[in-house]
Amino acid sequence: ETGVTQTPRHLVMGMTNKKSLKCEQHLGHNAMYWYKQSAKKPLELMFVYSLEERVENNSVPSRFSPECPNSSHLFLHLHTLQPEDSALYLCASSQDPGWWTVNSPLHFGNGTRLTVT
Amino acid sequence: GQQLNQSPQSMFIQEGEDVSMNCTSSSIFNTWLWYKQDPGEGPVLLIALYKAGELTSNGRLTAQFGITRKDSFLNISASIPSDVGIYFCAGQLGEGAQKLVFGQGTRLTINP
């Protein structure tokens, strides 16, 4: 089983739908993250959780709502999205929320490809 | 916000050729990281650099942390088909995820 698992892999939703993205890490890490990846743009950090407490919120619109019920699970609740929100949403985890090294890097999941129609 | 300029944006090469890509910034970084993203997967860390001037290899990959701490390059020697993917540089300004800045990526395509 891979270290960071994201479901679903693909999601198509209308602008009035409510859906949730799920992430689960099996690495015993303390920190989890949501990133947005759009074509030809740098990865954008959305949210950071350390020991289940949110420590970073990069001015993300309120239509994105994260939830971290425990250190192994992370959700991103979606509501009333816009077409420009279509992107690949990547979950990641790490042992330490501050610094990463070769021995303790940021581990990414395979992402959820979201299309908003 | 901080920005990294990664170039080239895309490369089309023949199998067996060497590859070179780089990232530059107006900011000074404490750490440089290079990631690879295979199609349909998330990025995976290839190489991490921690000191100005550091040269590190990982198999056919070699990366260097620029002396000015504002740039880094990644070389791939004797490319093979599995090298296809998107390569990202990332620079860390300080502690915390918000201090990790990613480049736009270099998409590598290899003709057999």
Side-chain angles (χ1 to χ4, degrees), chain A residues 76-88:
Chain A
L76 187 62
H77 303 300
L78 315 172
H79 179 228
T80 320
L81 294 192
Q82 305 298 310
E84 60 264 28
D85 296 323
S86 299
L88 182 68

Side-chain angles (χ1 to χ4, degrees), chain A residues 66-83:
Chain A
E67 179 189 0
C68 188
N70 55 63
S71 60
S72 298
H73 293 86
L74 185 66
F75 295 89
L76 187 62
H77 303 300
L78 315 172
H79 179 228
T80 320
L81 294 192
Q82 305 298 310

Side-chain angles (χ1 to χ4, degrees), chain A residues 9 37 42 98-99 101-102 109-110, chain B residues 37 40 42 50 88 92 95-96 102:
Chain A
R9 291 298 306 271
Q37 184 176 26
W99 290 99
T101 68
V102 171
N110 289 334
Chain B
Q37 185 173 24
Y50 303 104
F88 293 96
Q92 188 156 10
E95 187 172 349
F102 284 87

Side-chain angles (χ1 to χ4, degrees), chain B residues 34-92:
Chain B
W34 284 93
Y35 285 85
K36 182 194 177 193
Q37 185 173 24
D38 288 328
E41 298 185 14
V44 174
L45 183 66
L46 298 173
I47 290 179
L49 303 157
Y50 303 104
K51 294 190 301 185
E54 180 180 353
L55 186 71
T56 297
S57 293
N58 179 3
R60 293 177 295 105
L61 277 61
T62 301
Q64 184 159 29
F65 193 142
I67 290 292
T68 63
R69 295 170 61 193
K70 295 181 180 181
D71 61 339
S72 177
F73 72 75
L74 175 70
N75 288 341
I76 305 172
S77 63
S79 58
I80 60 178
S82 61
D83 292 332
V84 164
I86 304 176
Y87 292 80
F88 293 96
C89 62
Q92 188 156 10

Side-chain angles (χ1 to χ4, degrees), chain B residues 3 18 22-23 29-30 40 44-45 49 52 60 82 93 97 102:
Chain B
Q3 281 193 328
D18 296 343
N22 68 81
C23 274
F29 290 97
N30 295 323
V44 174
L45 183 66
L49 303 157
R60 293 177 295 105
S82 61
L93 295 162
F102 284 87

Side-chain angles (χ1 to χ4, degrees), chain A residues 8-56:
Chain A
R9 291 298 306 271
H10 301 273
L11 178 63
V12 179
M13 60 185 289
M15 290 191 287
T16 59
N17 291 160
K18 287 185 182 180
K19 297 286 184 182
S20 295
L21 310 184
K22 179 183 176 182
C23 177
E24 184 174 0
Q25 60 99 357
H26 310 277
L27 301 167
H29 287 166
N30 295 319
M32 296 188 76
Y33 314 79
W34 280 115
Y35 280 88
K36 177 183 179 182
Q37 184 176 26
S38 303
K40 298 184 180 180
K41 291 178 67 176
L43 286 170
E44 300 173 52
L45 178 65
M46 300 175 71
F47 300 103
V48 180
Y49 276 84
S50 177
L51 295 173
E52 302 148 46
E53 181 179 329
R54 189 192 304 183
V55 296
E56 185 67 30

